[in-house]
C-alpha cells in the first residue's frame, strides 16, 4: 500500500469569493475572470502542472448586489468542468451541485457525462444550499428545514449512486461481427420509491474508468456530519485552527467507522488560504494590509449571508447583538448558532461581533515557504487534515505556492511529483466501487456453488 500522502484541491474563485471583495482589482486578474473560459483553462493547466488532485468549483444560485464579485457573474459548474475536461488530462474535476433544488436523475446523468468526458475524473460536492433565497428561484416559497434538507440529500445521493450502477461493466460487448451491441441482462432499472423521490431508471449511461464519480461533502451541522459520515469520500471543512480541525477530523472518522466504513477511505480536507513571503514577518505584514484594506460595510453585508442575506444595516452597530436567530434557521443554522453563543457570552455589540467573525476566518497559514510547509505537515501528521483545498485567484501567488512550498513537501515524501493515475479515484487512493448488480450476481454464484458442493 502507498504511504499516506497529502491531497490538494484548488478552488477557482475568479474575481474573488467571500472575504475577497478587492481581489478583482489585482493587476493580474482580468475583470471578466469568472466568466472567461480562457482564464479557467490557464488556471486548470497551472494546477495540473503542480500535480494537484483536483479542481473544485463552488456554487450557489441566489445573489444580492452585496454578493462577492465571483458570485455575481460566474459559469455553471458542470458546463465549466466539461470544458476543462478536454483541456486537461489528469487533474480531477469536482463540481458543487445542490440536492435541495435538483432531481437525482438529472444530476446522475450530468455527472456521469462529465465522468465519461474526462475519462473518470469527476467528483460531486454535495451541498444542501446555504442560501435560502434559492428556493424562490425553484418554485418554492421557502427553503427546507434542516431535517428535510438533509433527508433529501441522503436519499438523493443514494438514488444517484443507484442510477450510476444501471449498467454492469460488461453491458456493451459492441461486437459488430456477432451483431451484439449490448447485453440486456446487464441493464438494471432502479425502481426507487422513497420519502422524497420516485425514480424508475435505468440511467442511459454506462460507468466510467473510475466506476462512479467521487462524492465530496461540506456541512458542519449534526445533520451535515451524519451525511458526510454516511456517503462522503472527501469532506470539505473550514480551517480555523489546528485544534478545531483535529477535533472535526476525529469526529468525522469516528462517525464513519461507526457506520462500518473504513476511516482511511474518507479524506478530510480543510480550506487553505495562504499568504507567502520571504520571511514570516513580511508575510504577517502583507496579511495585515489585506485585512486593513477590507471595507467594514462589505464585511457587514457578507455577515448577513448565513442569515439568508439578512440586512444588518438596519441595526445600531454599537448596540448589543440583535435577536436574529430566526433568520439563520433555514440558512446557516450551525454558524449562526455559534455566532449567537459568542455574542451572548462576551456581551458583544453588532460591530464587535462582525469583527470577531472576520478575525476567526483569518488563515493560520501565513509565513515563509518553510513555515507554511511546516504548518501543513503539522496538520497532516497530527491528523487534523488528509489534505487541503487551496483558494486560487492570483496566478503568481499560486505559482509561488507551487514553486516554493510543494518542493519542501515533496522533499519530505509527503506529496507526489507525478500523477499515479489518470482517474480521480486512482490519484486519491480511493477504491473503485463495485457495481451492486455485478456484486449480487457474484455472491449468488458463490452461494449456488457452495450449496451444490455441500449437496454433492
Ligand atoms: C469548504 C466548504 C465549501 C462549501 N461550498 C458550498 C457551496 O459551494 N455551495 C453551498 O450552497 N454551500 C457550500 N458550503 C456550505 C455547506 O454545504 C452547508 O450548506 C452550510 O455549511 C450550512 O449547513 P451546515 O449547517 O450543515 O453547515 C460549503 C461549506 C464548506 C465548509
Amino acid at each position: 500500500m502507498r504511504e499516506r500522502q497529502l491531497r490538494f484541491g484548488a478552488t477557482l474563485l475568479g474575481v474573488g469569493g467571500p472575504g475577497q471583495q478587492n481581489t478583482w482589482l489585482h493587476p493580474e486578474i482580468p475583470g471578466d475572470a469568472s466568466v472567461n473560459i480562457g482564464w479557467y483553462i490557464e488556471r486548470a493547466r497551472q494546477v495540473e502542472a503542480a500535480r494537484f488532485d483536483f479542481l473544485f468549483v463552488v456554487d450557489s444560485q441566489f445573489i444580492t448586489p452585496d454578493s462577492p464579485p465571483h458570485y455575481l457573474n460566474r459559469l455553471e459548474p458542470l458546463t465549466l468542468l466539461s470544458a476543462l475536461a478536454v483541456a486537461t488530462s489528469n487533474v480531477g474535476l469536482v463540481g458543487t451541485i445542490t440536492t435541495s433544488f435538483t432531481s437525482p436523475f438529472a444530476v446522475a446523468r450530468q455527472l456521469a457525462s462529465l465522468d465519461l468526458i474526462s475519462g473518470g475524473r469527476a467528483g460531486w460536492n454535495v451541498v444542501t444550499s446555504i442560501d435560502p433565497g434559492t428556493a424562490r428561484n425553484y418554485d418554492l416559497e421557502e427553503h427546507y428545514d434542516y431535517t428535510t434538507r438533509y433527508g433529501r440529500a441522503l436519499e438523493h445521493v443514494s438514488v444517484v449512486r443507484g442510477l450510476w450502477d444501471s449498467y454492469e461493466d460488461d453491458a456493451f460487448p459492441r461486437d459488430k461481427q456477432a451483431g451484439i451491441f449490448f447485453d440486456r441482462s446487464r441493464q438494471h432499472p432502479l425502481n426507487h420509491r422513497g420519502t422524497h423521490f420516485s425514480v424508475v431508471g435505468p440511467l442511459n449511461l454506462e460507468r466510467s474508468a473510475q466506476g462512479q464519480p467521487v462524492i465530496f461533502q461540506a456541512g458542519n451541522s449534526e445533520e451535515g456530519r451524519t451525511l458526510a459520515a454516511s456517503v462522503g469520500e472527501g469532506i470539505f471543512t473550514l480551517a480555523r485552527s489546528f485544534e478545531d480541525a483535529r477535533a472535526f477530523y476525529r469526529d468525522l472518522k469516528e462517525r464513519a467507522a461507526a457506520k462500518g466504513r473504513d476511516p482511511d477511505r474518507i479524506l478530510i480536507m480543510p480550506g487553505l488560504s495562504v499568504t507567502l513571503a520571504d520571511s514570516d514577518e513580511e508575510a504577517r505584514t502583507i496579511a495585515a494590509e489585506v485585512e486593513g484594506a477590507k471595507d467594514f460595510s462589505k464585511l457587514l453585508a457578507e455577515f448577513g449571508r448565513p442569515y439568508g442575506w439578512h440586512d444588518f444595516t438596519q441595526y445600531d452597530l454599537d448596540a448589543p447583538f440583535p435577536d436574529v436567530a430566526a433568520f439563520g434557521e433555514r440558512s446557516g443554522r450551525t454558524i449562526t448558532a455559534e455566532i449567537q453563543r459568542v455574542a451572548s457570552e462576551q456581551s458583544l455589540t453588532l460591530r464587535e461581533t462582525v469583527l470577531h467573525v472576520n478575525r476567526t476566518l483569518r488563515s493560520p497559514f501565513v509565513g515563509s515557504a518553510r513555515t507554511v510547509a511546516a504548518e501543513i505537515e503539522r496538520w497532516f501528521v497530527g491528523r487534523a487534515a488528509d489534505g487541503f483545498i487551496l483558494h486560487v485567484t492570483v496566478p503568481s501567488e499560486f505559482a509561488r505556492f507551487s514553486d516554493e512550498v510543494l518542493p519542501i513537501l515533496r522533499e519530505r515524501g509527503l506529496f507526489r511529483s507525478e500523477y499515479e493515475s489518470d482517474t480521480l479515484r486512482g490519484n486519491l487512493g480511493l477504491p473503485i466501487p463495485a457495481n451492486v448488480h455485478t456484486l449480487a450476481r457474484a455472491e449468488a454464484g458463490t452461494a449456488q456453488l457452495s450449496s451444490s458442493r455441500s449437496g454433492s
Side-chain angles (χ1 to χ4, degrees):
M1 212 171 108
R2 279 191 327 219
E3 285 273 300
R4 183 169 169 254
Q5 289 276 294
L6 266 167
R7 313 290 170 197
F8 280 111
T11 313
L12 304 181
L13 287 168
V15 287
Q20 297 180 324
Q21 294 279 355
N22 297 328
T23 300
W24 71 278
L25 294 167
H26 195 285
E28 282 181 45
I29 297 186
D32 65 351
S34 295
V35 288
N36 178 337
I37 190 61
W39 171 259
Y40 282 107
I41 289 174
E42 281 173 31
R43 299 288 66 71
R45 290 186 170 149
Q46 192 185 20
V47 167
E48 188 168 64
R51 304 294 181 249
F52 268 43
D53 291 273
F54 58 87
L55 303 162
F56 172 38
V57 178
V58 295
D59 196 39
S60 65
Q61 300 179 76
F62 174 77
I63 51 170
T64 81
D66 291 316
S67 295
H70 176 64
Y71 287 20
L72 289 172
N73 184 25
R74 61 169 150 177
L75 299 176
E76 186 283 317
L78 289 201
T79 315
L80 167 60
L81 289 171
S82 298
L84 297 183
V86 294
T88 54
S89 53
N90 289 79
V91 72
L93 306 159
V94 181
T96 298
I97 307 178
T98 180
T99 52
S100 295
F101 310 108
T102 54
S103 95
F105 193 90
V107 171
R109 192 171 187 219
Q110 289 163 328
L111 279 162
S113 297
L114 177 64
D115 214 21
L116 285 174
I117 291 170
S118 63
R121 292 186 281 138
W124 175 18
N125 177 34
V126 178
V127 301
T128 58
S129 285
I130 189 166
D131 295 320
T134 316
R136 296 199 298 279
N137 290 333
Y138 284 91
D139 311 310
L140 294 167
E141 284 302 310
E142 59 176 353
H143 197 355
Y144 301 110
D145 60 52
Y146 261 63
T147 309
T148 313
R149 181 166 147 178
Y150 277 104
R152 269 181 72 98
L154 196 56
E155 190 180 329
H156 194 301
V157 175
S158 103
V159 172
V160 167
R161 298 191 76 176
L163 287 168
W164 283 338
D165 276 0
S166 292
Y167 285 114
E168 295 182 59
D169 289 342
D170 53 359
F172 289 94
R174 298 182 174 104
D175 185 339
K176 291 195 180 184
Q177 271 184 336
I180 304 170
F181 178 62
F182 102 107
D183 176 348
R184 60 176 59 223
S185 72
R186 300 298 198 250
Q187 184 203 59
H188 304 275
L190 185 65
N191 292 323
H192 174 84
R193 259 192 176 281
T195 312
H196 304 281
F197 305 103
S198 289
V199 184
V200 175
L203 183 68
N204 51 348
L205 270 176
E206 63 180 318
R207 293 179 14 135
S208 76
Q210 65 170 352
Q212 295 188 349
V214 180
I215 304 287
F216 292 83
Q217 209 277 331
N220 203 16
S221 57
E222 186 58 31
E223 294 88 342
R225 289 180 188 220
T226 302
L227 176 66
S230 306
V231 299
E233 300 177 279
I235 316 293
F236 299 141
T237 178
L238 296 175
R240 298 226 164 92
S241 68
F242 172 76
E243 290 72 25
D244 275 5
R246 197 165 54 167
F248 180 84
Y249 185 102
R250 189 174 306 143
D251 180 54
L252 256 293
K253 298 257 173 169
E254 281 173 7
R255 285 173 190 249
K259 289 185 182 296
R261 300 183 65 204
D262 177 355
D264 290 339
R265 299 253 160 98
I266 294 152
L267 307 170
I268 312 290
M269 303 184 70
L272 180 67
S273 276
V274 173
T275 306
L276 274 177
D278 290 339
S279 69
D280 291 351
E281 200 187 327
E282 195 190 331
R284 279 196 293 269
T285 308
I286 293 170
E289 276 167 12
V290 171
E291 275 306 312
K294 284 187 181 170
D295 178 7
F296 184 81
S297 68
K298 291 196 167 143
L299 290 183
L300 185 67
E302 266 193 29
F303 178 82
R305 188 183 185 199
Y307 296 91
W309 286 101
H310 183 60
D311 177 10
F312 278 87
T313 58
Q314 63 191 290
Y315 305 107
D316 180 352
L317 283 171
D318 299 308
F321 189 71
D323 179 11
V324 285
F327 299 104
E329 263 313 297
R330 295 192 180 205
S331 183
R333 196 182 65 187
T334 321
I335 173 87
T336 55
E338 173 66 10
I339 292 170
Q340 187 63 51
R341 187 186 62 76
V342 173
S344 309
E345 272 176 22
Q346 300 180 25
S347 305
L348 302 180
T349 62
L350 172 57
R351 187 195 306 276
E352 288 164 344
T353 310
V354 173
L355 293 173
H356 168 84
V357 168
N358 186 51
R359 254 195 319 275
T360 62
L361 293 175
R362 277 185 205 159
S363 168
F365 298 90
V366 175
S368 68
R370 290 234 149 254
T371 301
V372 169
E375 192 61 2
I376 288 174
E377 181 175 10
R378 182 167 84 98
W379 286 48
F380 179 66
V381 173
R383 300 269 173 180
D386 293 313
F388 296 89
I389 35 172
L390 185 72
H391 301 155
V392 175
T393 50
V394 180
S396 60
E397 288 175 11
F398 181 81
R400 190 154 191 185
F401 181 81
S402 166
D403 295 345
E404 297 180 22
V405 178
L406 293 184
I408 301 173
L409 297 171
R410 289 192 176 111
E411 231 172 68
R412 297 181 190 171
L414 299 175
F415 186 59
R416 70 165 67 83
S417 299
E418 283 308 326
Y419 285 112
E420 297 84 12
S421 168
D422 49 15
T423 71
L424 177 55
R425 283 184 185 280
N427 285 318
L428 290 176
L430 294 171
I432 296 175
N435 181 298
V436 288
H437 305 290
T438 312
L439 201 61
R441 185 193 304 284
E443 278 165 7
T446 315
Q448 209 172 25
L449 196 68
S450 59
S451 74
S452 67
R453 272 198 188 137
S454 59
S456 64

